[in-house]
Amino acid sequence: MSFIPFRTLFLSSLTVVTFLAAHSSAEAGTLVSVDLGTTTQSGFQQWNVGADGTGLRTTTFTITDFVSVPGGLLTAYLGAGNDATNINNDSGTINTRIRANAPANSGSFTLTNLLNDRVVSTTGAGTGLFLSLSGFAPSTTFTIQVWGYDTQNSPATGAKPGTFTLYDRTAGANTSLGSFTTTAGQLPTDNNTFSVIGTVTSDANGVIVVESISNMDGTGIMNGFVVSTVPEPAATSLALCGIVTLAARRRRRPTAR
């Protein structure tokens, strides 16, 4: 019986691993980037949620990744309230503001237009600002990033002081995805400043729900959000296991005489 040299097997397996890793990375990416307001940040879609008032705000986004969003549409709801299990009950008061004096682009910060606009829940103590997105593949993990910023009047380009916390409320969850605290007049250092990034898993109906709770202005605040896919490492891990197995068998095999 002839044996394929281990070096050939290793290089072939390495090629497979490289291909799978590249393929997995290619599949990971942004599904939707949304700027809440009337001025739109480059690379983001606009969602003009309307004027001040009560009631849910809703819209849809077309998605071309039919694995992550099988129907090709995400339905988004924005509501103020305190019911984490039923977005329809979160029909409190929402205020919208356009801030022409957001921090100017500087260095690695390039999101001035995103921070111009903000949406705030003003329903009252114990409430927040809910974002519900439906249409995802069920039981699938995604990355979500949400910005929460409001500028103070003096100095005009700096942040209001306060704390922002983003919670995962999907399917009854009560998990903090992260928080940050701003100081009066604070300026961003990069595009992730004034934002929280976390992972959420859609429920059996393909829905994710997050809630912003903040005391910067009102009881919850959002400027915009980005939802991205999470790369699946299973295929690459399987190929790596194959290399290890080949190496072990090579070491155990007696030398041919």
Side-chain angles (χ1 to χ4, degrees):
M1 178 184 293
S2 61
F3 291 94
I4 301 174
F6 174 71
R7 182 174 181 275
T8 301
L9 287 173
F10 177 81
L11 291 176
S12 298
S13 299
L14 188 60
T15 301
V16 171
V17 169
T18 303
F19 169 78
L20 289 172
H23 184 63
S24 177
S25 299
E27 289 183 341
T30 300
L31 289 174
V32 64
S33 302
V34 178
D35 187 344
L36 300 171
T38 57
T39 60
T40 308
Q41 178 63 48
S42 176
F44 285 66
Q45 297 183 62
Q46 182 191 64
W47 181 6
N48 183 357
V49 301
D52 294 355
T54 59
L56 284 175
R57 317 301 168 91
T58 185
T59 192
T60 58
F61 301 102
T62 301
I63 308 296
T64 57
D65 182 343
F66 297 107
V67 174
S68 301
V69 184
L73 286 177
L74 278 182
T75 301
Y77 296 91
L78 198 65
N82 58 12
D83 191 338
T85 60
N86 188 348
I87 190 70
N88 292 306
N89 292 332
D90 296 304
S91 55
T93 304
I94 290 178
N95 285 355
T96 61
R97 290 290 183 272
I98 302 170
R99 303 294 196 189
N101 52 1
N105 290 336
S106 176
S108 60
F109 171 66
T110 61
L111 297 182
T112 285
N113 287 335
L114 181 65
L115 300 188
N116 273 348
D117 307 328
R118 60 101 169 115
V119 179
V120 173
S121 164
T122 61
T123 296
T127 67
L129 189 63
F130 285 90
L131 172 67
S132 174
L133 299 168
S134 62
F136 292 109
S139 306
T140 303
T141 301
F142 300 92
T143 298
I144 188 166
Q145 180 172 13
V146 178
W147 284 262
Y149 167 88
D150 197 16
T151 187
Q152 60 180 5
N153 293 327
S154 179
T157 55
K160 283 184 178 179
T163 299
F164 172 96
T165 305
L166 188 69
Y167 290 90
D168 178 11
R169 302 297 197 193
T170 307
N174 183 22
T175 305
S176 172
L177 298 175
S179 64
F180 62 85
T181 299
T182 59
T183 57
Q186 181 180 347
L187 296 173
T189 55
D190 57 38
N191 289 340
N192 293 327
T193 306
F194 310 128
S195 76
V196 166
I197 305 173
T199 56
V200 293
T201 301
S202 59
D203 67 13
N205 296 314
V207 178
I208 65 173
V209 181
V210 295
E211 179 186 14
S212 159
I213 294 181
S214 173
N215 61 357
M216 295 174 187
D217 192 9
T219 56
I221 184 171
M222 292 185 189
N223 306 93
F225 61 90
V226 172
V227 180
S228 305
T229 57
V230 176
E232 175 55 59
T236 302
S237 299
L238 184 61
L240 286 172
C241 288
I243 289 179
V244 172
T245 302
L246 285 171
R249 287 181 177 177
R250 175 68 179 183
R251 285 195 299 268
R252 290 197 302 266
R253 193 175 70 233
T255 302
R257 295 183 181 279

